[in-house]
Amino acid sequence: MTGLRYVYAVCRPFGTPLQAQLAGVAGDPPRLLHHHGLVAVVSHVPERDFAEEPLRRHLEDLDWLTRTVRAHQSVIDALTVVTTPLPLRLGTVFRDDSGVRVMIEEREESFRRTLDRLQDRVEWGVKVYAETAAPAGAEPAEAPARPASGRDYLRQRRQRVRSHEEMWQQAEAFATRLHETLSGYAEDARLHAPQNPALSGASGQNILNAAYLVPRADSEEFVEMVDRTKDDVPGMRVELTGPWAAYSFAGEEQQP
């Protein structure tokens, strides 16, 4: 099959085959391109969609982007089961196999250093949300009495503001304690910007959005540690995702 070369990840050689029915971006199964003792996981993609100009247009098409992200991630997930991949950016494309080999040679030292650091490690994501609604089963709060005067109105308003501030202080303190505990257990941690609920669709206000690098062998204990915190503070929701390839620790954001 002809076409451009889409690169998902770089890893060390591994013996376990990928899933037989695994389809990559644009429906083409991924294959392994060996070079200098490293492996680039690639597939063929059509130039009409992945050359520079059409790719730039497609990245603004939400439906196309969603399909491509899912296909890209399915390959990374399959690799994570059998090896330690170093994921590359979505839309990393080269003209041919020679271009991929040149890329490996130019970044070989960095790839090897990062793969050594990530070997047998996975990324876990932890998010903490402050719920804005009352917990399920809670008695509905009584409506505040209608203020009898301007002074009563100001007093009620001050009480509402004080209650809101206390809730946020409690939420931030809980998230800080959790992050410190998990960071002390993990080998590395990254704090990401809180998610916008209008974009994520998640309920509540995102207080903590963090990633943790954990040895694969210690993942069960890490998950249990997160589970033990879930009911510590009423009104807080803790979400755990993973295990993922170590996107947050791959260093790709520093690459040109």
Side-chain angles (χ1 to χ4, degrees):
M1 178 179 177
T2 60
L4 304 177
R5 305 304 188 267
Y6 186 103
V7 188
Y8 301 89
V10 172
C11 54
R12 297 191 184 280
F14 57 94
T16 306
L18 293 174
Q19 304 164 14
Q21 303 302 317
L22 182 62
V25 171
D28 189 55
R31 62 184 179 87
L32 308 183
L33 194 162
H34 292 257
H35 190 60
H36 279 211
L38 295 173
V39 176
V41 183
V42 307
S43 62
H44 296 81
V45 291
E47 188 168 356
R48 67 177 181 274
D49 291 324
F50 287 87
E52 185 176 353
E53 285 303 321
L55 178 59
R56 183 180 294 113
R57 293 195 301 270
H58 280 313
L59 291 175
E60 298 176 358
D61 179 341
L62 185 57
D63 291 337
W64 186 93
L65 182 60
T66 299
R67 291 194 303 271
T68 302
V69 168
R70 287 175 177 169
H72 178 101
Q73 187 60 44
S74 70
V75 174
I76 299 298
D77 289 344
L79 285 168
T80 304
V81 173
V82 299
T83 188
T84 301
L86 173 53
L88 302 190
R89 283 180 178 146
L90 182 79
T92 298
V93 179
F94 294 89
R95 173 61 58 184
D96 50 27
D97 286 356
S98 295
V100 179
R101 293 189 181 98
V102 169
M103 180 270 294
I104 290 176
E105 292 174 6
E106 290 177 345
R107 298 168 59 182
E108 181 176 355
E109 182 179 346
S110 174
F111 283 154
R112 292 186 185 280
R113 185 170 57 248
T114 304
L115 285 168
D116 285 344
R117 182 168 59 88
L118 300 183
Q119 184 66 35
D120 295 325
R121 287 154 178 80
V122 292
E123 175 175 327
W124 289 93
V126 176
K127 295 182 177 68
V128 174
Y129 296 90
E131 300 283 14
T132 54
E139 291 294 327
E142 293 184 4
R146 185 171 182 175
S149 65
R151 180 176 295 176
D152 285 342
Y153 170 79
L154 292 174
R155 177 180 54 80
Q156 290 180 8
R157 181 171 176 80
R158 283 196 298 270
Q159 288 175 341
R160 288 195 297 269
V161 170
R162 188 178 302 115
S163 175
H164 187 74
E165 290 176 345
E166 289 173 354
M167 182 196 74
W168 283 112
Q169 290 172 358
Q170 185 181 49
E172 290 174 354
F174 169 75
T176 298
R177 289 195 307 272
L178 178 61
H179 179 60
E180 289 175 350
T181 298
L182 298 181
S183 296
Y185 184 85
E187 290 191 352
D188 203 353
R190 294 284 187 275
L191 281 172
H192 299 305
Q195 290 186 324
N196 184 333
L199 299 177
S200 68
S203 63
Q205 185 69 37
N206 185 204
I207 305 299
L208 175 69
N209 181 14
Y212 303 91
L213 184 68
V214 179
R216 193 186 297 269
D218 296 339
S219 286
E220 184 174 349
E221 186 173 348
F222 182 84
V223 171
E224 291 175 353
M225 186 182 304
V226 176
D227 284 341
R228 289 196 297 268
T229 71
K230 289 189 173 181
D231 300 319
D232 281 0
V233 179
M236 298 292 106
R237 187 175 84 256
V238 180
E239 289 187 358
L240 174 70
T241 61
W244 307 109
Y247 281 99
S248 299
F249 307 93
E252 277 301 293
E253 65 273 10
Q254 277 83 45
Q255 299 296 339

